[in-house]
Amino acid sequence: MSHLMNTYARLPVAFTRGEGVWLWDEQGKRYLDAVAGVAVNGLGHAHPKLAQAICEQAKTLIHTSNLYQIPKQEQLGTKLAQLAGMDKVFLCNSGAEANEAAIKLARLYGHNKGIDSPAIIVMEKSFHGRTMATLTATGNRKVQAGFEPLVSGFVRVPYNDIASIKLIAEHNQSVVAILVEPVQGEGGIQIPLPAYLQELRRICDSHGWLLMLDEVQTGIGRTGSMFAFQQTGIIPDVMALAKGLGSGVPIGACLAKGAAAEVFKPGNHGSTFGGNPLACAAALATLEAVEEQNLCQQAAEIGAFIRDGLSNQLAGTAGVVQIRGAGLMIGVELDRPCGDLVKLALAQGLIINVTADSVVRLLPPLVMKRDEAQQVVDMLAPLIKDFLAQK
């Protein structure tokens, strides 16, 4: 009997080592990883630069506290601010904590403007984390069920629907911010209209609201640029990062620009482990590797290659609704629940994920090469065809 709490429906496999886009289990069976720890292992497994940075840091200093100066935290803050064109960075441990920081920042921003009950506009089918505030912001009833009472102060609208936000702006004077994913990941790899973020930027500017982007899954090269917003011509006021930032070492970040960057004062927020020397060393090594290996461009090219390959092999297949994505964030939507595909793929040595019940989600490491991408296509397309033919 396991003494671990029953919080995960775990698959019957335990991995013991990895290299690049490959993983091996306890029996020595090899698997092609097309999920990357749910968008975490952007550099793949056992990346030499990352391993060296972690080992060197662990031999000298793993953790102190945010009560003291942390030089690597200063280096990482400067690097992230330069890459994003933003001003200030708060470092934490996870995506949920990064979004929690954004939510607290927005509320304090509102109170500083004299708004007693500041509200944040959030989206249906979104996912922002599993703390009480972030699960309330999340637009998925399954995540919230059983944890009521939820946190107040959120106004929910459909994703990709500008008209509904304009309507709220006319009738709700308490709104202070919009929190939105540039691409919805857990919601089924939902790609908004090209001008969506630009419209949100204009609305926020005209009403004095903060535009807050949850780039926990889309950030660090995942969609073909360092951050997804860099493909839209806008800059957010606040941005949350995590997942690919530490390549498996837990770290999150909440970045802010302009007036938003000046909201937090000493004592407003904090983190025990956030931005410690080990996590910062991992993040700095990750960012250096992404730039040195030109992984943003590689993600864009390999992602398009996989989408084209799946589109060709699945063309005319009844039951395939749409193949969509941005960079190496790819969804294959079927016309029925397809969770069984995860185990079928695993049995054949391919690691995939299903989200929103009917969307096969691929989030391969950014280091994936073309021949490996071809193997993903050649393994997955027949699985989907067989699955649809039998159901």
Side-chain angles (χ1 to χ4, degrees):
M1 181 185 74
S2 173
H3 292 281
L4 298 177
M5 285 193 182
N6 188 28
T7 53
Y8 303 101
R10 298 181 194 271
L11 293 164
V13 62
F15 300 112
T16 56
R17 70 183 179 92
E19 182 177 341
V21 301
W22 300 97
L23 284 166
W24 284 263
D25 68 13
E26 294 171 307
Q27 285 72 46
K29 180 179 176 179
R30 192 175 76 155
Y31 300 79
L32 181 52
D33 185 359
V35 176
V38 191
V40 168
N41 304 105
L43 301 185
H45 303 281
H47 191 283
K49 187 180 187 73
L50 177 67
Q52 182 179 358
I54 293 171
C55 288
E56 289 180 356
Q57 189 61 50
K59 289 176 182 176
T60 55
L61 187 65
I62 292 177
H63 177 80
T64 55
S65 161
N66 282 301
L67 293 173
Y68 313 107
Q69 303 290 320
I70 301 177
K72 275 201 163 49
Q73 193 175 105
E74 295 288 347
Q75 293 176 35
L76 178 59
T78 299
K79 183 69 176 178
L80 285 172
Q82 290 174 342
L83 288 170
M86 302 185 79
D87 297 324
K88 296 286 180 67
V89 180
F90 170 78
L91 294 169
C92 51
N93 303 306
S94 68
E97 288 190 16
N99 280 322
E100 190 86 15
I103 291 166
K104 287 182 67 176
L105 189 155
R107 286 193 169 194
L108 191 53
Y109 172 79
H111 280 289
N112 290 344
K113 294 174 65 176
I115 298 173
D116 292 334
S117 299
I120 300 171
I121 295 177
V122 293
M123 309 298 156
E124 294 176 358
K125 298 182 180 179
S126 62
F127 183 85
H128 299 295
R130 296 180 187 276
T131 65
M132 282 307 302
T134 57
L135 77 83
T136 303
T138 291
N140 183 340
R141 182 58 190 149
K142 289 182 180 177
V143 174
Q144 300 168 341
F147 299 108
E148 299 84 353
L150 302 177
V151 178
S152 62
F154 295 97
V155 181
R156 198 171 310 284
V157 299
Y159 190 62
N160 210 15
D161 184 346
I162 292 296
S164 63
I165 294 176
K166 289 182 176 177
L167 191 61
I168 289 172
E170 293 176 3
H171 300 285
N172 191 329
Q173 301 303 311
S174 296
V175 171
V176 296
I178 296 174
L179 175 62
V180 61
E181 297 159 276
V183 175
Q184 287 190 332
E186 295 289 332
I189 314 295
Q190 301 294 335
I191 312 292
L193 294 171
Y196 182 57
L197 290 183
Q198 296 166 359
E199 283 292 321
L200 294 183
R201 179 73 274 175
R202 277 192 281 271
I203 291 172
C204 286
D205 288 343
S206 64
H207 292 279
W209 300 348
L210 301 178
L211 177 58
M212 308 199 300
L213 298 187
D214 178 348
E215 292 235 25
V216 169
Q217 191 166 134
T218 55
I220 320 300
R222 175 59 54 186
T223 67
S225 52
M226 188 62 79
F227 311 109
F229 79 80
Q230 292 172 324
Q231 300 175 42
T232 68
I234 61 103
I235 298 180
D237 299 295
V238 179
M239 175 173 67
L241 297 174
K243 288 192 177 292
L245 180 56
S247 299
V249 176
I251 185 168
C254 179
L255 283 69
K257 180 177 176 60
E262 305 303 323
V263 170
F264 279 152
K265 307 298 181 189
N268 287 145
H269 199 47
S271 171
T272 296
F273 297 102
N276 74 17
L278 184 70
C280 288
L284 284 165
T286 297
L287 294 173
E288 289 174 9
V290 168
E291 289 187 312
E292 289 171 358
Q293 295 181 233
N294 202 17
L295 294 181
C296 294
Q297 183 176 341
Q298 184 162 319
E301 293 174 358
I302 297 299
F305 179 81
I306 292 175
R307 293 196 301 276
D308 289 345
L310 289 172
S311 296
N312 290 334
Q313 293 203 24
L314 294 173
T317 302
V320 176
V321 175
Q322 188 181 38
I323 298 169
R324 55 180 177 259
L328 282 172
M329 195 172 180
I330 300 166
V332 182
E333 183 176 357
L334 307 184
D335 67 354
R336 67 204 71 176
C338 59
D340 290 348
L341 271 170
V342 175
K343 286 186 177 179
L344 294 171
L346 190 69
Q348 298 200 17
L350 176 64
I351 301 172
I352 63 170
N353 174 249
V354 166
T355 191
D357 290 334
S358 60
V359 179
V360 176
R361 179 170 55 168
L362 305 179
L363 302 160
L366 308 185
V367 296
M368 179 169 277
K369 300 292 193 300
R370 184 166 291 223
D371 63 321
E372 296 161 337
Q374 186 65 56
Q375 291 182 64
V376 172
V377 173
D378 291 343
M379 295 173 76
L380 180 58
L383 275 171
I384 291 175
K385 286 183 178 179
D386 291 346
F387 173 81
L388 291 172
Q390 294 171 12
K391 293 287 182 175

